[in-house]
């Protein structure tokens, strides 16, 4: 293998690592952070829509019920998230990589 | 006169009689009239001696009068079926069962009936273009007041839901860094569309009630009825829905002067107390007294309806 090819291979390797590092250290955590926040917002939305799932009567459950067909998947995920979440600290803690 | 006319008041004061009489008056004056009964215990059928259904039915013997009796149960069931149909189209069968329970539950809450009734209300107002006048025979005070205050209240609630949804979708879009497909997107989000449509509906109801509706309260010449009416006027005012007039129903007829039996004395005393009540209403109540209707011996229907209609000093 001549020098040129080895340099090219090395550069490819560096680029891949740099991309990986950037993704792992910067973009992925950032993406995760925003997405978690979005999930939190969605949780709040779903809680406002379906408080009856927790035994709190909702004045508009009649109207929000018609959203369920479109929210079914999210509803499922939401219920799971609500079970998983043990404390506010734990949930918020997940968003940071200490 | 406004296109939508509401007759309200305490239970058993004769709202149905008065609103039927008013509808009769409008219809005989040549207006295309629709009388809508929203009281779950419908009694318009008894006044016109005819069976009515959930959609407008022409009344026999009139050229331009139709009656409909809103049945919230039908509306609740339809709503339920519609959601279930959408659910079948949208979702995998494994989740359907889980969600089904949630939906059934939502349709058994006490609010469901009210919401369904309210939806029908809006539907009637929206599709009232064929009619010159729509007369509502409402359920007793409390229920109606709650119903009429719903637009404002629900508008606020839906608004909050909409904001929450929008902010979460917005964050999802932001999370899609570097040309990734966002998990949800603002464009074509069925939830936002649905909520917006609801909101628009409530706004329409609120607007129509404020600008195109007239409210009349029916009362009887007794202390309880007077007090309740006073409170009702205040609550209506709080909701920015001023009462346009009061109708005093069931006044005792005065005996002829030469009569002096026990019955005549009783009637005279009764008329005495009632006339002070009528005076109180005239002097202390803000909305004008537009009619004072005497008690009829027979049930008010047929020709008697025309009699009562004549006594109603409400413009057509």
């Amino acid at each position: 293998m001549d020098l040129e090819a080895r340099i090219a291979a090395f550069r490819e390797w560096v680029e891949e690592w740099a991309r990986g590092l950037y993704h792992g250290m910067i973009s992925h955590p950032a993406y995760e952070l925003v997405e978690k926040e979005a999930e939190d917002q969605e949780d709040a939305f779903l809680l406002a829509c379906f408080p009856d799932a927790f035994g709190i009567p909702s004045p508009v459950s009649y109207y929000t019920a018609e959203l369920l067909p479109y929210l079914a998947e999210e509803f499922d995920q939401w219920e799971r998230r609500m079970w998983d979440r043990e404390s506010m600290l734990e949930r918020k803690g997940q968003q940071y990589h200490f | 006169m406004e296109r939508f006319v509401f007759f309200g008041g305490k239970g058993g004061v004769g709202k149905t009689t008065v609103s039927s009489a008013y509808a009769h008056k409008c219809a005989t004056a040549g207006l295309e009239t629709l009388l809508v009964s929203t009281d779950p215990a419908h009694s318009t059928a008894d006044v016109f001696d005819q069976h009515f259904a959930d959609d407008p039915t022409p009344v026999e013997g009139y050229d331009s009068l139709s009656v409909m009796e809103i049945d919230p149960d039908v509306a609740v069931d339809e709503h339920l079926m519609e959601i279930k149909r959408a659910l079948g189209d949208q979702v995998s069968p494994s989740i359907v069962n889980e969600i089904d329970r949630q939906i059934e539950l939502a349709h058994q809450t006490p609010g469901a009936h009210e919401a369904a009734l309210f939806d029908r209300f809006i539907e009637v107002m929206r599709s009232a273009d064929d009619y010159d006048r729509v007369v509502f025979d409402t359920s007793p005070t409390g229920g109606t007041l709650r119903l009429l205050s719903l637009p404002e209240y629900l508008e606020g609630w839906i608004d909050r839901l909409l904001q929450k949804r929008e902010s979460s979708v917005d964050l999802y879009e932001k999370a899609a860094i570097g040309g990734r497909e966002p998990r949800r997107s603002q464009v074509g989000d069925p939830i936002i569309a649905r909520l917006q449509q609801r909101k628009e509906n409530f706004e329409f109801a609120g607007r129509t009630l404020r600008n195109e509706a007239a409210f009349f309260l029916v009362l009887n010449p007794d202390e309880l009825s007077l007090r309740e009416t006073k409170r009702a006027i205040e609550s209506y005012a709080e909701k920015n829905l001023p009462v346009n007039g009061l109708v005093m129903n069931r006044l005792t007829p005065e005996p002829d002067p030469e009569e002096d039996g026990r019955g005549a004395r009783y009637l005279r005393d009764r008329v005495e107390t009632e006339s002070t009540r009528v005076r109180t209403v005239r002097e202390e109540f803000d909305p004008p007294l537009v009619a004072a209707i005497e008690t009829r011996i027979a049930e008010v229907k047929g020709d008697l309806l025309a009699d009562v209609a004549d006594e109603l000093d409400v413009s057509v």
Side-chain angles (χ1 to χ4, degrees):
Chain A
M1 208 190 281
D2 61 13
L3 189 66
E4 215 166 296
R6 280 170 60 187
I7 291 176
F10 177 72
R11 283 187 55 170
E12 211 168 276
W13 178 82
V14 169
E15 249 170 55
E16 197 188 325
W17 267 85
R19 234 193 346 261
L21 264 174
Y22 180 76
H23 178 76
M25 293 183 70
I26 316 260
S27 80
H28 184 70
Y31 155 79
E32 210 177 44
L33 205 67
V34 180
E35 187 142 276
K36 282 246 157 107
E37 184 57 35
E39 274 178 11
D40 279 355
Q41 287 284 341
E42 189 168 278
D43 289 351
F45 168 74
L46 280 160
L47 184 64
C49 276
F50 308 107
D52 6 19
F54 296 90
I56 307 163
S58 158
V60 292
S61 55
Y62 182 81
Y63 293 117
T64 50
E66 64 191 28
L67 305 177
L68 272 169
Y70 310 98
L71 280 173
E73 308 274 340
E74 297 165 37
F75 191 76
D76 216 34
Q77 293 165 4
W78 171 63
E79 275 191 325
R80 205 149 310 174
R81 282 204 297 271
M82 295 315 251
W83 295 333
D84 282 350
R85 190 172 305 180
E86 281 173 3
S87 71
M88 195 62 199
L89 199 67
E90 188 232 325
R91 168 74 188 177
K92 286 285 164 203
Q94 278 179 23
Q95 297 177 15
Y96 298 93
H97 296 257
F98 293 115
Chain B
M1 194 65 185
E2 281 82 356
R3 226 148 70 85
F4 302 103
V5 183
F6 291 79
F7 286 92
K10 191 170 160 293
V13 290
K15 291 182 292 296
T16 304
T17 307
V18 174
S19 48
S20 302
Y22 181 65
H24 167 94
K25 193 172 171 166
C26 293
T28 44
L31 292 175
E32 195 62 47
T33 309
L34 175 65
L35 174 63
V36 185
S37 167
T38 64
D39 193 333
H42 297 295
S43 39
T44 37
D46 304 327
V47 176
F48 293 102
D49 265 336
Q50 192 184 327
H51 182 74
F52 298 114
D54 195 46
D55 31 39
T57 316
V59 182
E60 285 157 28
Y62 290 89
D63 296 329
S64 57
L65 179 63
S66 305
V67 175
M68 71 186 289
E69 295 182 337
I70 291 182
D71 186 351
D73 280 331
V74 173
V76 170
D77 286 345
E78 269 171 19
H79 192 245
L80 186 67
M81 287 320 292
E82 194 195 315
I83 293 176
K84 286 200 168 163
R85 219 173 304 126
L87 199 63
D89 295 344
Q90 294 278 333
V91 181
S92 67
S94 65
I95 299 185
V96 168
N97 283 338
E98 196 54 39
I99 302 295
D100 242 13
R101 267 217 321 274
Q102 185 73 27
I103 294 177
E104 298 264 354
L105 223 89
H107 286 77
Q108 270 153 28
T109 52
H113 231 71
E114 227 169 15
L117 191 58
F118 183 64
D119 279 357
R120 296 283 286 133
F121 239 107
I122 300 178
E123 229 179 287
V124 170
M125 292 201 283
R126 264 195 201 281
S127 56
D129 288 339
D130 296 345
Y131 300 97
D132 302 314
R133 184 67 36 85
V134 182
V135 183
F136 288 94
D137 170 21
T138 66
S139 53
T141 311
T144 304
L145 261 181
R146 276 183 52 101
L147 207 62
L148 296 179
S149 65
L150 274 177
E152 215 173 322
Y153 178 56
L154 292 182
E155 248 177 70
W157 184 273
I158 293 278
D159 220 25
R160 261 180 55 204
L161 286 184
L162 202 57
Q163 271 169 20
K164 282 212 167 82
R165 178 69 184 178
E166 273 169 350
S167 80
S168 99
V169 171
D170 182 50
L171 279 168
Y172 273 121
E173 278 181 343
K174 287 192 178 123
I177 303 169
R180 294 163 40 116
E181 186 72 19
R183 258 214 266 174
R184 322 204 192 298
S185 93
Q186 202 76 248
V187 187
D189 186 56
I191 310 289
I192 292 182
R194 211 53 208 234
L195 288 173
Q196 247 152 8
Q197 183 200 330
R198 278 289 175 211
K199 193 177 158 220
E200 202 269 318
N201 225 15
F202 295 141
E203 277 167 355
F204 166 82
R207 213 169 41 235
T208 311
L209 285 177
R210 274 189 296 274
N211 302 333
E212 286 181 69
F215 298 91
F216 291 92
L217 290 176
V218 182
L219 69 162
N220 287 160
D222 60 64
E223 205 54 48
L224 275 176
S225 189
L226 250 65
R227 278 195 217 152
E228 167 144 349
T229 306
K230 188 162 215 151
R231 280 195 298 270
I233 293 170
E234 281 164 16
S235 343
Y236 272 82
E238 271 170 31
K239 312 235 148 50
N240 283 326
L241 305 169
V243 177
N244 298 55
L246 303 172
V247 178
M248 185 75 99
N249 190 22
R250 298 235 165 94
L251 285 168
T252 311
E254 200 162 2
D256 292 333
E258 68 275 8
E259 283 177 283
D260 195 32
R262 197 166 148 223
R265 281 202 304 279
Y266 169 81
L267 285 182
R268 220 164 265 136
D269 283 352
R270 191 74 210 139
V271 168
E272 186 71 25
T273 41
E274 283 178 8
S275 65
T276 59
R277 303 245 162 83
V278 173
R279 215 175 308 127
T280 317
V281 170
R282 279 191 207 282
E283 284 162 11
E284 292 179 15
F285 285 49
D286 195 30
L289 188 68
V290 291
I293 300 166
E294 270 187 10
T295 293
R296 308 288 149 156
I297 297 152
E299 286 300 305
V300 175
K301 49 168 81 166
D303 293 341
L304 270 180
L305 203 59
D307 276 6
V308 174
D310 283 341
E311 287 182 42
L312 266 179
D313 184 23
V314 182
S315 61
V316 186

